[in-house]
């Protein structure tokens, strides 16, 4: 099978969050399973490192309709890990200075990209069996395919899958975009419209043959208004084509035995390097290293749905349990201010680094004892899996992919991997932190066994890549 994976970001080229990890690792896993895989993403010329650009070559260009205009689209190409990457270039849209998204014309930028993906397939005669489009930025791909391309020469019999990584970001704009920018005539308005707006994600849910999301629990949760950000009504009518597959992580990239980004290597069999990582982490962030207090790591975008309000409520109590807390992240000012304040209140116990610093993130995964993710909602979450791999015990709210990946330590089957709590409540979170720190302090043998089990847990893509392949084959009518 030939699979075209369309995404607005992918490791190692351009990343702002978990989508980039998935787009960097799932195609590689599909290729390892013998599938032909193509990834298409925008050519963010200011973001992609020169060391990568050296291997990326210009191949061709064409023009793409955006409303009534024709816009230049350059095509660049490279190969990596058995996967072919196409980068679609237009400096007006993608040469920007302040991150990948958040510009006034994002709707137009990704409408251009989506239409350009269709033109690429046609002009390069790619003939994929499957297009898997991801999140709102690529949501117009299945829409354009169905409206304009599916009956054209060399464009027939392409099957469409749309994957939701986070339902909160939908690509919602005023209806005036419809004809002028998206180039979609009024008589197709019903496909694009939702609650009086143009809604990219809703349209993809409407027209794609399958809708997937990134964990089985999230696939159910988004049918509930508490999680759906308004899309439960459309999703309820599409349950026959919706499912959830748990993401994996790239176990080569996240490997404490071979990771050059951490100060000492370690493994489930030989864990002494982890103590070195803890000491070096504390030194780096300026916290004392003499005592053996448990270190809680937190690496997150500082936004509401990550559950930071619970941490705000229970912070003093967490510190009174004897913990140190190492925080890395950036986002809303209210949370950045709060963590700065906590650092000043507890200078020997709390460190806060404001930013998105992958190298420090790895040192936290490796050097902390526990990792806190009290998310209000979490489609999948990758940090809990990465933490496990580095022997750091997750404390999570049982929602979305956190629920599907972290069985509780207290379960009678003895297979628990972390500490979980159910309701979105600060005292419940504190209860989970307390259970975790008690085990750490009172039973070092059991703690050691838990760390070993965590490190041995398998969250590689092997399993889930097979589920995607099964779905793709079903669409192609293969066994
Ligand atoms: C989004 C979700 C996160 C998920 C990631 C990759 O960032 O918020 O939960 O792990 O996408 O699918």
């Amino acid at each position: 099978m030939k699979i075209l994976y369309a995404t607005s970001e992918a490791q190692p080229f351009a990343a702002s969050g978990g989508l980039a990890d998935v787009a960097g690792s799932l195609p590689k896993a599909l290729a390892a399973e013998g599938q032909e895989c193509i990834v298409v993403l925008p050519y963010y010329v200011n973001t992609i490192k020169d060391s990568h650009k050296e291997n990326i070559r210009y191949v061709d260009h064409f023009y793409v309709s955006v409303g009534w205009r024709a816009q230049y689209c350059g095509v660049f190409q490279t190969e990596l890990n058995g996967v072919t990457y196409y980068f679609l270039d237009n400096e007006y849209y993608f040469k920007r200075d302040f991150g990948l998204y958040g510009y006034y014309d994002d709707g137009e930028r990704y409408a251009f990209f989506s239409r350009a993906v269709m033109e690429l397939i046609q002009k390069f005669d790619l003939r994929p069996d499957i297009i898997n489009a991801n999140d709102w930025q690529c949501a117009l791909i299945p829409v354009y395919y169905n409206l304009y391309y599916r009956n054209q020469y060399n464009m027939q019999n392409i099957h469409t899958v749309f994957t939701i990584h986070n339902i909160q970001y939908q690509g919602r704009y005023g209806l005036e975009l419809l004809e002028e920018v998206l180039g979609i005539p009024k008589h197709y308005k019903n496909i694009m419209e939702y609650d009086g707006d143009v809604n990219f994600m809703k349209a993809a849910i409407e027209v794609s043959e399958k809708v997937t999301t990134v964990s089985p629990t999230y696939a159910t949760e988004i049918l509930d208004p508490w999680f759906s950000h308004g899309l439960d009504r459309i999703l309820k009518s599409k349950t026959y084509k919706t499912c959830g597959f748990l993401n994996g992580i790239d176990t080569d990239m996240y490997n404490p035995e071979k990771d050059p980004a951490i100060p000492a290597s370690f493994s489930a069999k030989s864990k002494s390097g982890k103590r070195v990582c803890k000491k070096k982490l504390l030194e780096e962030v300026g916290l004392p290293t003499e005592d053996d207090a448990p270190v809680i790591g937190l690496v997150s975008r500082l936004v509401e749905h990550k559950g930071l309000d619970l941490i705000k409520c229970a912070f003093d109590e967490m510190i009174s349990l004897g913990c140190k807390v190492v925080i890395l992240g950036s986002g809303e000012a209210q949370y950045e201010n709060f963590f700065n304040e906590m650092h000043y209140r507890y200078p020997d116990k709390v460190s806060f680094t404001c930013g998105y610093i992958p190298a420090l993130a790895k040192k936290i995964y490796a050097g902390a004892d526990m990792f806190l993710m009290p998310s209000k909602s979490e489609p999948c979450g990758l940090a809990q899996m990465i933490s496990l791999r580095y022997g750091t015990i997750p404390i999570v709210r049982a929602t979305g992919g956190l629920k599907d990946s972290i069985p509780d330590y207290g379960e009678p089957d003895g297979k628990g991997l972390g500490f979980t709590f159910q309701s979105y409540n600060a005292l419940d979170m504190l209860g989970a932190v307390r259970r975790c720190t008690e085990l750490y302090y009172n039973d070092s043998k059991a703690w050691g066994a838990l760390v070993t089990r965590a490190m041995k847990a398998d969250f590689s893509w092997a399993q889930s890549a097979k589920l995607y392949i099964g779905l793709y084959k079903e669409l192609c009518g293969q066994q």
Side-chain angles (χ1 to χ4, degrees), residues 302 327-331 336-337 340 351-357 360:
L302 302 182
I327 304 142
L328 168 65
S330 59
E336 294 183 359
N337 294 342
N340 272 323
S351 111
F352 171 49
T353 310
C354 188
Y356 172 74
I357 308 171
L360 178 60

Side-chain angles (χ1 to χ4, degrees), residues 17-19 22 165-166 214 247 301 305-306 378-382:
L19 169 61
V22 173
H165 294 260
N166 194 332
V214 288
N247 287 333
R301 278 186 299 127
H305 80 262
K306 294 290 178 184
E378 194 62 75
C380 177
L382 302 170

Side-chain angles (χ1 to χ4, degrees), residues 408-420:
D408 191 87
Y409 182 75
E411 292 292 326
D413 63 4
K415 291 186 180 156
L417 294 173
F419 293 82
T420 68

Side-chain angles (χ1 to χ4, degrees), residues 312-330:
K312 276 174 87 172
C313 283
F315 202 84
D316 293 313
E317 284 85 348
M318 266 166 57
I319 297 296
S320 69
L321 293 173
C323 307
K324 289 178 188 152
V325 189
V326 177
I327 304 142
L328 168 65
S330 59

Side-chain angles (χ1 to χ4, degrees), residues 12-238:
F13 304 108
S16 80
L19 169 61
D21 285 273
V22 173
S25 51
L26 172 59
K28 178 176 159 187
L30 295 171
E33 291 289 331
Q35 308 300 329
E36 188 178 347
C37 205
I38 296 170
V39 175
V40 189
L41 73 160
Y43 194 50
Y44 301 105
V45 67
N46 283 350
T47 310
I48 300 174
K49 288 199 188 109
D50 287 342
S51 55
H52 289 303
K53 278 193 205 145
E54 279 167 16
N55 300 318
I56 298 176
R57 60 189 184 282
Y58 168 84
V59 270
D60 203 355
H61 71 274
F62 46 75
Y63 286 83
V64 174
S65 315
V66 179
W68 52 268
R69 288 158 301 161
Q71 300 282 40
Y72 168 89
C73 178
V75 181
F76 288 71
Q77 187 182 345
T78 195
E79 278 80 36
L80 186 67
N81 300 317
V83 176
T84 300
Y85 289 80
Y86 286 108
F87 300 85
L88 301 184
D89 174 45
N90 177 304
E91 293 198 354
Y92 168 67
Y93 288 128
F94 299 124
K95 188 178 180 186
R96 303 269 167 120
D97 289 326
F98 305 104
L100 305 184
Y101 325 120
Y103 301 97
Y104 76 95
D105 59 346
D106 279 356
E108 178 176 336
R109 295 169 72 219
Y110 291 100
F112 162 79
F113 176 69
S114 299
R115 190 79 191 236
V117 170
M118 282 293 114
E119 292 294 317
L120 173 80
I121 295 173
Q122 188 164 46
K123 300 223 157 59
F124 279 49
D125 201 18
L126 294 179
R127 298 183 197 238
D129 299 296
I130 300 284
I131 300 175
N132 194 335
N134 291 278
D135 268 352
W136 77 267
Q137 293 92 335
C138 294
L140 293 183
I141 293 173
V143 176
Y144 287 139
Y145 177 65
N146 279 291
L147 295 187
Y148 302 132
Y149 291 88
R150 68 174 315 138
N151 295 319
Q152 291 193 33
Y153 161 76
N154 81 354
M155 295 296 279
Q156 288 157 5
N157 300 321
I158 304 177
H159 299 283
T160 52
V161 178
F162 178 65
T163 301
I164 300 172
H165 294 260
N166 194 332
I167 207 162
Q168 186 174 355
Y169 309 106
Q170 299 173 0
R172 247 181 112 152
Y173 299 97
L175 279 171
E176 65 278 5
L177 248 74
L178 193 66
E179 288 174 284
E180 180 77 9
V181 176
L182 311 184
I184 297 176
K186 272 207 195 79
H187 55 264
Y188 289 132
K189 186 171 139 204
N190 62 321
I191 294 175
M192 293 301 303
E193 187 181 5
Y194 199 62
D195 289 341
D197 287 330
V198 154
N199 188 316
F200 288 25
M201 190 175 263
K202 177 264 177 181
I205 294 168
E206 190 85 62
V207 302
S208 300
E209 283 169 81
K210 293 278 180 191
V211 177
T212 72
T213 184
V214 288
S215 69
T217 294
Y218 195 61
T220 323
E221 285 176 342
I222 53 179
L223 301 175
D224 179 332
W226 205 77
F227 291 97
S228 73
H229 293 268
L231 288 182
D232 51 292
R233 282 167 286 128
I234 174 84
L235 281 163
K236 271 193 194 130
S237 67
K238 307 290 176 196

